[in-house]
């Protein structure tokens, strides 16, 4: 029973295994072209670049083991031994990828170590054989690793991989990146058509229709804006009217309260006046003077009498 694997872990593992397999098949294809190109043809690969990693291993191994093999003639014994050991393990990478396996981290690290070692050995073997055969380049089509190349003749793009001191994997990465950007533009390019009277009329009609749609859109926008402003003004007027009504209501309450207080005042004043405590409001000054004279009479009455007596004596 297979264990459940998280999608992200599965996709990450498959991406790594696929990349490693592609890189090994790229180097293996170049090595096979140098040491035994006919071996790929006899195994049914008319397009040598279509050979998978197990086929490449089957083609390369005899060149390592036979004394007259090309690799046995140009490589040192230590390198031959390391290449035989690594190439025997290379099939595991391809099988893990082909069977959609999800090995654990330790297994992945082991496979990655094998891949790196084998890539280094492949590159050294390629450079050695190319130098011995005086071969400076190998044709290679990057579209097999991306998608079908878009050209007028529908032919795949073929580039030449230089067999110099530069890393072959670096060259591959650069070619794929450049090819990807070029093809991206080509695939999205619109085909050109010769202008006709019908196409010109259609273009004119489309332009007029676009102008009409734009004008209608502006009119709808203005109508919506006018409607929105009308609603805002209406709400503002309603709020003002409610505020005015509330204020008038408060004023009426205050007026009624003031009237009631005034009525109570007059009623209480009338009751007080009826009791005789105070005279009406019109006699208040006279009453005040009377009270003042009564209070000050001990002072001014003797003075009046003395003045009257003196006046008589002088007469």
């Amino acid at each position: 029973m297979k264990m459940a694997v998280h999608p992200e872990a599965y996709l990450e593992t498959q991406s790594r295994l696929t990349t490693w397999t592609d890189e090994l098949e790229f180097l293996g294809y170049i090595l096979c072209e140098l040491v035994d190109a006919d071996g790929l043809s006899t195994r049914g690969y008319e397009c040598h670049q279509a050979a998978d990693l197990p086929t490449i291993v089957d083609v390369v191994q005899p060149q390592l083991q036979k004394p007259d093999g090309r690799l046995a003639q140009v490589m040192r014994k230590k390198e031959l031994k390391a290449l035989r050991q690594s190439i025997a393990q290379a099939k595991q990478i391809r099988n893990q990828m082909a069977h959609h396996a999800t090995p654990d981290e330790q297994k992945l690290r082991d496979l990655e170590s094998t891949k790196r070692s084998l890539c280094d050995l492949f590159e050294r073997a390629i450079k050695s054989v190319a130098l011995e055969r005086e071969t400076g380049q190998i044709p290679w089509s990057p579209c097999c690793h991306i998608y079908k190349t878009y050209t007028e003749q529908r032919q795949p793009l073929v580039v030449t991989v230089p067999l110099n001191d530069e890393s072959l994997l670096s060259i591959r990465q650069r070619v794929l990146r450049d090819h990807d950007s070029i093809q991206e533009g080509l695939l999205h390019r619109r085909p050109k058509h010769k202008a006709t009277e019908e196409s010109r009329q259609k273009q004119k009609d489309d332009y007029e229709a676009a102008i009409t749609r734009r004008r209608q859109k502006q009119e709808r926008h203005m109508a919506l804006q006018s409607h929105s402003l009308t609603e805002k003004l209406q709400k503002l007027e309603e709020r003002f009217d409610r505020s005015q009504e509330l204020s008038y209501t408060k004023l009426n309450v205050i007026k009624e309260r003031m009237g009631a207080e005034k009525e109570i005042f007059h009623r209480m004043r009338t009751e007080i006046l009826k009791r005789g405590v105070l005279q009406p409001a019109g006699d208040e000054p006279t009453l005040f003077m009377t009270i003042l004279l009564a209070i000050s009479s001990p002072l001014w009455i003797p003075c009046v009498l003395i003045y009257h007596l003196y006046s008589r004596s002088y007469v």
Side-chain angles (χ1 to χ4, degrees), residues 127 136 161-168 171:
K127 301 296 176 62
V161 179
L163 304 179
N164 50 28
D165 294 335
E166 186 178 358
S167 170
L168 295 176
I171 296 174

Side-chain angles (χ1 to χ4, degrees), residues 278-293:
L278 291 175
Q279 295 296 326
D283 298 335
E284 286 180 359
T286 305
L287 179 61
F288 176 75
M289 292 299 297
T290 303
I291 294 173
L292 182 61
L293 290 173

Side-chain angles (χ1 to χ4, degrees), residues 11 36 58 86 98 159 168 185 193 203 213 306:
L11 294 174
D36 190 7
D58 293 341
S86 297
V159 298
L168 295 176
H193 300 285
Q203 186 177 8
R213 288 195 300 271
I306 293 171

Side-chain angles (χ1 to χ4, degrees), residues 24-52 55-61 63 70-71 122 125-141 158-161 163 168:
L24 289 173
E25 288 180 350
F26 166 74
L27 296 174
Y29 155 73
I30 295 177
L31 184 58
C32 288
E33 288 291 283
L34 291 172
V35 299
D36 190 7
D38 294 336
L40 295 175
S41 299
T42 57
R43 286 172 172 79
Y45 290 97
E46 295 182 5
C47 176
H48 293 179
Q49 194 174 325
D52 58 3
T55 303
I56 292 172
V57 172
D58 293 341
V59 172
V60 172
Q61 276 183 336
Q63 303 298 325
R70 285 192 176 276
L71 294 176
F122 269 174
I126 289 170
K127 301 296 176 62
S128 299
V129 177
L131 182 62
E132 188 265 338
R133 293 190 56 181
E134 297 182 354
T135 303
Q137 59 189 21
I138 292 291
W140 176 66
S141 177
V158 177
V159 298
T160 55
V161 179
L163 304 179
L168 295 176

Side-chain angles (χ1 to χ4, degrees), residues 43-311:
R43 286 172 172 79
Y45 290 97
E46 295 182 5
C47 176
H48 293 179
Q49 194 174 325
D52 58 3
L53 192 56
T55 303
I56 292 172
V57 172
D58 293 341
V59 172
V60 172
Q61 276 183 336
Q63 303 298 325
L64 292 169
Q65 298 170 355
K66 293 180 181 180
D68 59 344
R70 285 192 176 276
L71 294 176
Q73 293 176 0
V74 299
M75 297 182 70
R76 293 176 296 180
K77 292 183 179 181
K78 185 177 180 180
E79 292 178 340
L80 288 173
K81 182 179 179 181
L83 184 55
R84 281 195 295 267
Q85 292 176 350
S86 297
I87 204 171
Q89 301 174 1
K91 292 183 180 180
Q92 297 182 18
I93 299 176
R94 186 263 180 188
N95 291 338
Q96 293 283 337
M97 182 272 297
H99 297 151
H100 299 277
T102 53
D104 55 24
E105 284 298 323
Q106 182 59 45
K107 181 66 174 178
L108 282 175
R109 284 194 292 269
D110 294 341
L111 293 176
E112 185 176 13
S113 177
T114 300
K115 174 259 175 187
R116 289 180 178 176
S117 175
L118 187 55
C119 285
D120 292 340
L121 292 170
F122 269 174
E123 290 219 23
R124 285 203 293 269
I126 289 170
K127 301 296 176 62
S128 299
V129 177
L131 182 62
E132 188 265 338
R133 293 190 56 181
E134 297 182 354
T135 303
Q137 59 189 21
I138 292 291
W140 176 66
S141 177
C143 67
C144 295
H145 297 266
I146 308 175
Y147 38 71
K148 185 173 180 60
T149 306
Y150 180 90
T151 60
E152 296 296 331
Q153 294 79 19
R154 297 285 181 177
Q155 295 295 325
L157 174 67
V158 177
V159 298
T160 55
V161 179
L163 304 179
N164 50 28
D165 294 335
E166 186 178 358
S167 170
L168 295 176
L169 291 181
S170 298
I171 296 174
R172 174 183 179 272
Q173 187 66 26
R174 184 174 66 253
V175 171
L176 290 178
R177 184 176 60 251
D178 296 343
H179 182 268
D180 191 12
S181 61
I182 294 172
Q183 298 308 311
E184 188 72 21
L186 291 174
L187 287 173
H188 291 84
R189 184 180 62 186
R190 291 185 178 181
K192 295 182 179 179
H193 300 285
K194 187 177 181 179
T196 61
E197 188 64 29
E198 183 180 356
S199 64
R200 293 192 185 96
Q201 184 63 36
K202 184 178 182 302
Q203 186 177 8
K204 181 180 178 181
D205 294 341
D206 292 342
Y207 174 76
E208 292 177 352
I211 294 296
T212 303
R213 288 195 300 271
R214 183 178 180 182
R215 184 175 63 253
Q216 292 175 350
K217 183 178 179 181
Q218 291 176 347
E219 291 175 354
R220 288 195 300 269
H221 177 71
M222 292 179 64
L224 290 174
Q225 190 175 12
S226 177
H227 180 69
S228 176
L229 292 175
T230 302
E231 288 184 347
K232 289 181 179 179
L233 287 174
Q234 185 177 359
K235 291 180 180 179
L236 180 63
E237 291 176 355
E238 290 176 355
R239 286 198 301 268
F240 177 75
D241 292 340
R242 287 197 299 269
S243 177
Q244 290 290 303
E245 291 177 1
L246 182 61
S247 299
Y248 284 131
T249 302
K250 291 180 179 179
L251 287 175
N252 291 333
V253 171
I254 293 173
K255 288 174 66 177
E256 291 177 359
R257 186 178 299 172
M258 291 176 65
E261 291 177 352
K262 185 176 181 180
E263 183 179 353
I264 293 172
F265 167 74
H266 286 295
R267 187 171 61 252
M268 293 178 66
R269 183 174 181 275
T270 302
E271 291 178 356
I272 293 172
L273 291 175
K274 285 181 179 180
R275 294 174 186 175
V277 176
L278 291 175
Q279 295 296 326
D283 298 335
E284 286 180 359
T286 305
L287 179 61
F288 176 75
M289 292 299 297
T290 303
I291 294 173
L292 182 61
L293 290 173
I295 293 173
S296 60
S297 59
L299 297 175
W300 59 268
I301 290 177
C303 293
V304 171
L305 291 175
I306 293 171
Y307 176 76
H308 185 67
L309 290 175
Y310 274 99
S311 297

